[in-house]
Structure formats: C-alpha cells, structure tokens
Amino acid sequence: MRKKIVAGNWKMNKSFDEGIQLVKEIIELYAQEVKSQTYVVIAPPYIHLHKIQPLLFDMPMIALGAQNCSEMSSGAYTGEISTAMLKSVGCDYVIIGHSERRQYFNETNDLLAKKIDIALTNLLQPIYCVGETLDERNSGKLFEIIESQLSEALYHLPSENMRQVVVAYEPVWAIGTGQTASSAQAQEMHGFIRKIIAKKFGDELAENISILYGGSVKPDNAKELFSQPDIDGGLIGGAALQARSFIDIVKGF
Ligand code: PGA
C-alpha cells in the first residue's frame, strides 16, 4: 500500500519564532483531529529545521523535509547546504526540482538528477517535482514535457533507489494562482505518470510509489483531489502557512 502524504512547503515565509509557533499548532491539531493514516511532511526554511526536529519526537506521522539541497557533497560552495547536513538535523525528505527552482534558479533536469542521487546517498527521500507551464499545456506537448522531466532525472536510478522517490505533479499555472487543476486533469496526469513509471520500473514499483498533487490545494478542494485513484496526497504552499487550513487539507483523506 502506498503512503498518503501531505507535505507543506513554506517557501521563503515565516520568521524563526513564527515557524516554531506554526509547527506547535500543526502538532496539536494533528493529534486532536487527524484520524486517517496520513503522513505529514513539514518543509520550512533551512534555519528552522534544527529546532523543529525535537518537537516531532513523539509524532511518528510527521516528518521534516527541506525545500532544496546542494548537488555537491561538501566543500567550498558558499551559501549551499548539503544533504548530509540536512540528514544531521533530522530531515527525512527533500523537495527537489520545484518549479520555482527550475524557473528562478535555472535548475535543469540534469542538475536535478545529481541532487536526487546525493539525497538518496544520504538517505533522504526526494520529493521530485514535475509540471508544465500553461504554454506547454496549450501546445499539446504536455505529456512529452512531463515524461522528459521524469526520465532525465530519475530513469538512471536502480529500482531500490527509485522506490524511495516521491513524485509531485505541480502544474506551474496552478501554483500560487488560486487556479487549481480540475480533479479530472490531475488524475489524468497522475495516471500517466504511474503508467510510464510502470513501463520503466515495473507494475509493482509503480503501484507503491506516492504521487502528490500540488497547485492551489485548499481545504475545499482537497477531498475531491485526494479521492482520485492515482492521487496519493498533496504538496501545499500557501495553505500550509496556517495550521487550520493545513490540517483541514490533511483531513481531506
Ligand atoms: P500553492 O503552492 O499551494 O501555494 O499553489 C504549491 C507549491 O508550490 O508547492
């Protein structure tokens, strides 16, 4: 059975104190209200990670993730954070290839393949993001684009490593815009992603990989999205910045 996961990507938001407060509220609401076996990943800015780790000791269903990592292992790379460092402060996940990293920081599939490798080497589970722009969707090249994002960053992996990867489908036109993909559009792409993973890595692996949807997921659309057969959870931006809305999304399962 594949894991149901709701991950909160805070992006570049929340001061240190605000972040700690938000995690405390999430823990409290999760403990009181969440009845399903849904895993939560909290991905705050780097500086919060170390102080959040001890808050999660009694919460086996809530894990810590980073929003990015270096593709290098260590050394003279001013300003970078390595996957070994992330592991050492308690991260279990790292988001790789978010569309904002692709768009504003020119991250390519080749670079992302390296980040995937080093994350796996340090026992972090990558949450690997794929998604098309509106122009790409309208051009009819939608499926080609998604397939190349997957193949160029993941197809070199041996199966035992691929099993550790979580995929997030996030149409770029739906991120932060309030315009979510319809549940039918999202399901169509999730089904396609699972199908091509099955073609490359086999049915059993594809059946067990979690594929999350991201892009303007809110409490009022989460339930419908999560009820689709190939949608195993969400990657949440704006609505993850408040405990109430985040937990209401988690309760969509
Ligand atoms: P959003 O962001 O929920 O604010 O659209 C999603 C994401 O970027 O992961």
Side-chain angles (χ1 to χ4, degrees):
M1 258 269 283
R2 51 194 187 243
K3 271 188 178 177
K4 297 184 185 313
I5 301 171
V6 177
N9 171 12
W10 296 4
K11 310 190 181 182
M12 199 171 71
N13 292 295
K14 301 290 179 191
S15 70
F16 183 72
D17 289 343
E18 288 166 353
I20 299 302
Q21 183 57 33
L22 174 56
V23 172
K24 288 182 175 163
E25 288 170 17
I26 289 170
I27 291 171
E28 200 180 318
L29 287 179
Y30 187 99
Q32 287 167 358
E33 299 183 13
V34 177
K35 307 286 180 243
S36 61
Q37 284 289 102
T38 306
Y39 289 86
V40 162
V41 178
I42 296 176
Y46 289 133
I47 62 151
H48 299 67
L49 292 167
H50 179 54
K51 281 286 178 182
I52 294 177
Q53 177 189 28
L55 303 177
L56 301 180
F57 274 157
D58 295 333
M59 301 299 297
M61 299 297 285
I62 306 186
L64 203 49
Q67 298 174 19
N68 181 32
C69 62
S70 173
E71 74 279 19
M72 307 294 184
S73 55
S74 67
Y77 302 104
T78 301
E80 290 295 279
I81 302 282
S82 75
T83 48
M85 292 172 192
L86 296 175
K87 195 68 194 175
S88 76
V89 292
C91 283
D92 287 320
Y93 291 87
V94 58
I95 298 170
I96 291 180
H98 189 281
S99 68
E100 288 150 17
R101 303 283 329 162
R102 294 176 187 264
Q103 190 182 345
Y104 305 133
F105 303 96
N106 303 319
E107 295 196 355
T108 61
N109 293 332
D110 284 351
L111 173 77
L112 299 171
K114 295 188 182 124
K115 292 192 177 199
I116 296 271
D117 286 342
I118 197 149
L120 290 164
T121 301
N122 284 290
L123 306 179
L124 292 171
Q125 284 193 255
I127 300 177
Y128 177 62
C129 303
V130 297
E132 81 287 359
T133 62
L134 197 54
D135 280 352
E136 287 166 345
R137 176 167 276 264
N138 292 338
S139 75
K141 291 204 188 115
L142 169 61
F143 294 98
E144 241 171 81
I145 298 280
I146 302 297
E147 186 159 10
S148 63
Q149 290 174 343
L150 290 167
S151 63
E152 290 171 25
L154 300 178
Y155 279 16
H156 65 288
L157 294 175
S159 295
E160 68 269 24
N161 283 353
M162 182 63 188
R163 271 180 206 287
Q164 302 304 315
V165 174
V166 174
V167 174
Y169 169 58
E170 299 203 302
V172 178
W173 47 273
I175 294 177
T177 58
Q179 191 191 346
T180 185
S182 69
S183 54
Q185 284 172 321
Q187 168 56 30
E188 181 186 32
M189 183 53 78
H190 281 233
F192 171 76
I193 292 171
R194 203 179 302 284
K195 200 174 82 201
I196 58 173
I197 291 175
K199 210 159 100 197
K200 171 73 187 163
F201 294 97
D203 288 344
E204 189 270 335
L205 189 148
E207 270 309 306
N208 283 293
I209 211 157
S210 298
I211 307 176
L212 315 184
Y213 170 78
S216 299
V217 179
K218 303 281 182 261
D220 60 4
N221 59 24
K223 209 179 186 66
E224 164 143 16
L225 286 160
F226 296 169
S227 69
Q228 302 302 310
D230 288 300
I231 299 183
D232 307 310
L235 181 53
I236 319 300
L241 296 174
Q242 268 196 344
R244 181 74 270 160
S245 52
F246 186 60
I247 290 296
D248 282 348
I249 289 172
V250 177
K251 286 161 71 183
F253 275 117

